[in-house]
Amino acid sequence: MESQRTFLFIGLLLVSFLLFTEWSKEQTAANADTSAVTQQVAGPANNDQADVPASSQADVPMQATVATRSVISVTTDVLAVKIDTRGGDIVEAKLLQHAETHGSDQPYLLLGEFEGKEYFAQSGLIGLNGPDASSQGRPVYQSEQTSYTLSGDELRVPLTFVDSKGVQFSKTFVFKPGQYDVALEYDVTNPTADPVQVQLYTQIKRTVQEKGSMVDQTYLGAAYGTSEEPYEKYSFSDMADANLNKNTQGGYVAFIQHYFVSAWVPGQEKNNTIYSSLRNNNSIIGAKGEATNIQANGTAQLTATYYMGPKDTDALEALHEDLDLTVDYGWLWFISQPLLNLLKFLYSIIGNWGLAIIAITLIVKTLLYPLTKAQYTSMAKMRMLQPKMQALKERYGDDRQKFGQAMMEMYRKEKVNPMGGCFPLLLQMPIFLALFYVFLESTELRHAEFMLWLTDLSSKDPYYVLPVLFGASMFLTQKLQPMTVTDPMQQKMMTWMPVIFSVFFIWFPSGLVLYWLVSNLISIAQMLYIYRGMEKKGMKVRG
């Protein structure tokens, strides 16, 4: 196979993969839009009984204690959270260590109301005597303070509610320094002479939303894990088609977006039901625990953990053995994860993400050098056989069968593998695609600076310098490998390939374009070195 045809095939394969991914995203968004009913989204003031899932038992109406509703502010070193006393939901979360946009002094708003949409973390107690199952609406909790600030090793934010029968409910959020996970503790005290039954639910509510460009985020939607399914995506369109209803021990539910994730992890020793719903353009994914009975004059505690923060694989895995899979590297995760670990290790030594990218490129290209040498050697030998190939074409004319037999005999005598230039390139493609997901999914690269004008390796080059240089490197590669294809259409496509890729890479993260530019430059240097060695042996490999 001729080098230009091989390169053209690889380029078209890559473009086809990216276009197919984008088409899949558009189809998912379109299905969700047509299945959901769009309306004005209600804010926390209407965050009521409509969000509460059905319990496993019939609901018993109860008269709730009259209380004034308020919003509680909680601040730690990494989080600024607001909790609505109606239901005790987390209705806003700002990540203090992550800027909203590059160079901004505003922290990133992960949960909350923005652009007519809402994203909340909800939890409560349903069942026969659960306060969230009341026909009067969700309970309004009492709080001793309207604001809390973490100052020690732990910050406890207690909310209390007493129902009409005197049953006491204490909902406590536990924050710790440096952590994006928050423990939830529900303490139920039953001073009555009758047993009480409650059922804990934890869920995430998010307005149906289209994701942006493919290079902005790989997946926007829900996900869950069970004892049999470690990680399953459940998109907005999936919710529109059917409601989830899966029983499992342990498990988790999550909402995933570019660089960030929120997830509820219920008690892993309990049997839980993973569920979903889509109503009024609002999607919900959650987990319901088993019904818990509290005997007369008895107490019980129900617990869960909520994570709201960056896609930190170590922190996520510490909460649940499969939760780190929400850092989705696609089907090449087994290559992406080691590459990310190597990239982080290089950064710990160098201290600059751009230089770490260059270093990992050098390492990858060095490890692949034997394949690269085989590739260019095969290409050079194929070019040397072009005169003999043309002579065979003239001898056999339109007799393709005889021409093919003669060509294979020539390859055998000259000891040339016509696929020698193709297989090495194909073997390198998984590494390129794995790095594609690394640059898109790695929170560490968000707003990472390099030098000069490259102040954010997670976004496109603002001046398009890297895409232009990448196109120039492709053009130089073509010049160093004289075109041997004879088909006019293929010749035109090869001629325009540098321009096409330069335009295509304008929207790619600059860190990814930097990797491919450096990879091309190293390939050019390796090609010249290999060709010089062949020429010293008397082989004319360049025209």
Side-chain angles (χ1 to χ4, degrees):
M1 181 178 289
E2 295 164 337
S3 61
Q4 284 82 11
R5 286 177 179 166
T6 303
F7 187 76
L8 180 61
F9 170 74
I10 297 298
L12 292 176
L13 182 65
L14 176 61
V15 172
S16 298
F17 165 78
L18 298 175
L19 291 178
F20 174 76
T21 306
E22 183 71 4
W23 174 84
S24 299
K25 178 269 296 183
E26 295 294 342
Q27 289 297 108
T28 299
N31 291 338
D33 288 341
T34 56
S35 300
V37 179
T38 304
Q39 65 175 29
Q40 181 66 32
V41 177
N46 294 318
N47 184 18
D48 55 14
Q49 191 70 13
D51 296 336
V52 178
S55 62
S56 58
Q57 303 291 335
D59 297 334
V60 177
M62 295 179 295
Q63 181 64 43
T65 302
V66 177
T68 302
R69 182 185 187 183
S70 63
V71 175
I72 302 168
S73 298
V74 181
T75 304
T76 72
D77 56 333
V78 295
L79 290 170
V81 172
K82 290 185 178 180
I83 301 172
D84 190 349
T85 56
R86 181 186 292 278
D89 296 339
I90 299 176
V91 295
E92 183 175 291
K94 294 181 178 179
L95 310 184
L96 303 181
Q97 303 298 320
H98 297 267
E100 183 71 34
T101 58
H102 181 64
S104 170
D105 58 358
Q106 296 296 318
Y108 185 80
L109 180 63
L110 179 62
L111 304 183
E113 292 183 275
F114 36 88
E115 299 178 356
K117 299 177 176 61
E118 61 185 19
Y119 185 12
F120 301 148
Q122 302 178 315
S123 57
L125 296 176
I126 50 178
L128 286 175
N129 307 104
D132 290 87
S134 170
S135 62
Q136 304 299 316
R138 301 185 67 200
V140 177
Y141 288 88
Q142 303 267 1
S143 176
E144 295 181 356
Q145 301 173 213
T146 58
S147 64
Y148 293 82
T149 302
L150 176 67
S151 59
D153 295 334
E154 182 179 276
L155 173 63
R156 300 181 69 85
V157 180
L159 308 174
T160 58
F161 174 78
V162 180
D163 70 12
S164 58
K165 295 181 179 180
V167 179
Q168 301 167 13
F169 300 91
S170 176
K171 184 176 186 178
T172 304
F173 292 96
V174 184
F175 297 82
K176 293 185 177 181
Q179 294 186 194
Y180 293 96
D181 54 286
V182 181
L184 171 65
E185 299 176 356
Y186 257 114
D187 291 289
V188 182
T189 301
N190 178 20
T192 72
D194 300 317
V196 169
Q197 185 184 89
V198 296
Q199 185 179 9
L200 174 64
Y201 76 90
T202 53
Q203 64 185 29
I204 305 170
K205 177 183 178 182
R206 183 164 188 165
T207 303
V208 173
Q209 182 179 349
E210 291 187 34
K211 77 173 188 176
S213 165
M214 172 194 57
V215 297
D216 290 335
Q217 50 196 16
T218 55
Y219 176 69
L220 172 62
Y224 67 91
T226 68
S227 57
E228 296 181 354
E229 300 169 296
Y231 172 65
E232 291 292 330
K233 296 177 182 176
Y234 208 72
S235 66
F236 294 124
S237 61
D238 291 330
M239 292 186 186
D241 292 337
N243 290 334
L244 268 175
N245 186 23
K246 290 181 174 289
N247 295 318
T248 181
Q249 180 175 344
Y252 67 86
V253 295
F255 253 105
I256 303 171
Q257 65 190 70
H258 196 199
Y259 295 126
F260 302 101
V261 61
S262 70
W264 275 111
V265 181
Q268 296 302 291
E269 74 284 356
K270 303 289 186 179
N271 289 323
N272 300 300
T273 300
I274 307 296
Y275 64 89
S276 72
S277 66
L278 180 62
R279 182 173 53 246
N280 297 332
N281 210 37
N282 286 322
S283 63
I284 287 176
I285 188 167
K288 291 186 294 185
E290 300 172 307
T292 300
N293 294 307
I294 302 100
Q295 299 302 318
N297 299 311
T299 61
Q301 185 180 76
L302 299 91
T303 61
T305 303
Y306 182 65
Y307 181 91
M308 44 185 162
K311 291 180 177 178
D312 184 329
T313 54
D314 293 334
L316 293 170
E317 189 176 15
L319 296 179
H320 189 284
E321 61 180 355
D322 298 322
L323 192 56
D324 62 317
L325 297 177
T326 57
V327 187
D328 192 355
Y329 295 116
W331 61 281
L332 291 171
W333 58 269
F334 56 92
I335 301 178
S336 296
Q337 288 182 345
L339 287 175
L340 175 60
N341 291 334
L342 176 58
L343 188 62
K344 291 164 68 173
F345 172 74
L346 293 172
Y347 173 76
S348 68
I349 297 175
I350 302 173
N352 181 287
W353 285 108
L355 294 177
I357 291 172
I358 293 175
I360 200 172
T361 311
L362 287 167
I363 292 173
V364 170
K365 294 299 292 184
T366 300
L367 293 175
L368 293 177
Y369 178 74
L371 293 177
T372 303
K373 184 176 181 180
Q375 169 191 336
Y376 287 128
T377 301
S378 178
M379 290 179 177
K381 289 181 177 180
M382 290 292 292
R383 282 197 299 274
M384 293 170 60
L385 293 177
Q386 284 301 309
K388 295 183 179 181
M389 184 80 70
Q390 188 62 35
L392 290 177
K393 288 182 179 179
E394 293 175 357
R395 178 184 303 177
Y396 295 105
D398 296 332
D399 193 335
R400 300 183 63 85
Q401 181 177 359
K402 290 185 177 180
F403 171 72
Q405 292 174 347
M407 182 174 62
M408 295 306 296
E409 180 63 21
M410 179 184 67
Y411 287 154
R412 188 185 63 80
K413 289 182 178 180
E414 299 291 341
K415 297 181 180 180
V416 173
N417 181 5
M419 301 299 292
C422 181
F423 282 137
L425 283 174
L426 289 175
L427 291 174
Q428 293 179 56
M429 283 305 296
I431 296 177
F432 292 147
L433 294 178
L435 279 169
F436 173 80
Y437 282 107
V438 166
F439 289 123
L440 290 184
E441 283 287 284
S442 302
T443 308
E444 294 86 349
L445 290 170
R446 183 176 186 264
H447 299 168
E449 296 188 4
F450 179 28
M451 61 178 62
L452 302 176
W453 75 98
L454 295 175
T455 58
D456 184 2
L457 292 171
S458 67
S459 64
K460 66 180 183 180
D461 186 333
Y463 302 111
Y464 314 124
V465 175
L466 290 182
V468 171
L469 291 177
F470 178 81
S473 69
M474 286 186 65
F475 179 78
L476 178 59
T477 301
Q478 288 185 355
K479 287 297 182 181
L480 293 174
Q481 299 181 53
M483 188 174 295
T484 58
V485 296
T486 57
D487 181 73
M489 180 60 68
Q490 290 186 20
Q491 287 181 346
K492 289 181 180 180
M493 292 186 70
M494 286 300 305
T495 301
W496 284 98
M497 190 64 73
V499 177
I500 294 172
F501 267 77
S502 293
V503 174
F504 198 65
F505 279 7
I506 285 176
W507 291 277
F508 272 50
S510 55
L512 182 62
V513 183
L514 175 64
Y515 170 82
W516 279 356
L517 170 61
V518 175
S519 180
N520 262 13
L521 295 177
I522 296 173
S523 294
I524 291 172
Q526 289 178 337
M527 178 173 58
L528 293 175
Y529 175 77
I530 294 168
Y531 285 173
R532 186 175 295 113
M534 295 176 69
E535 288 172 346
K536 287 181 178 179
K537 297 179 181 179
M539 301 172 63
K540 186 179 180 181
V541 297
R542 288 179 283 186

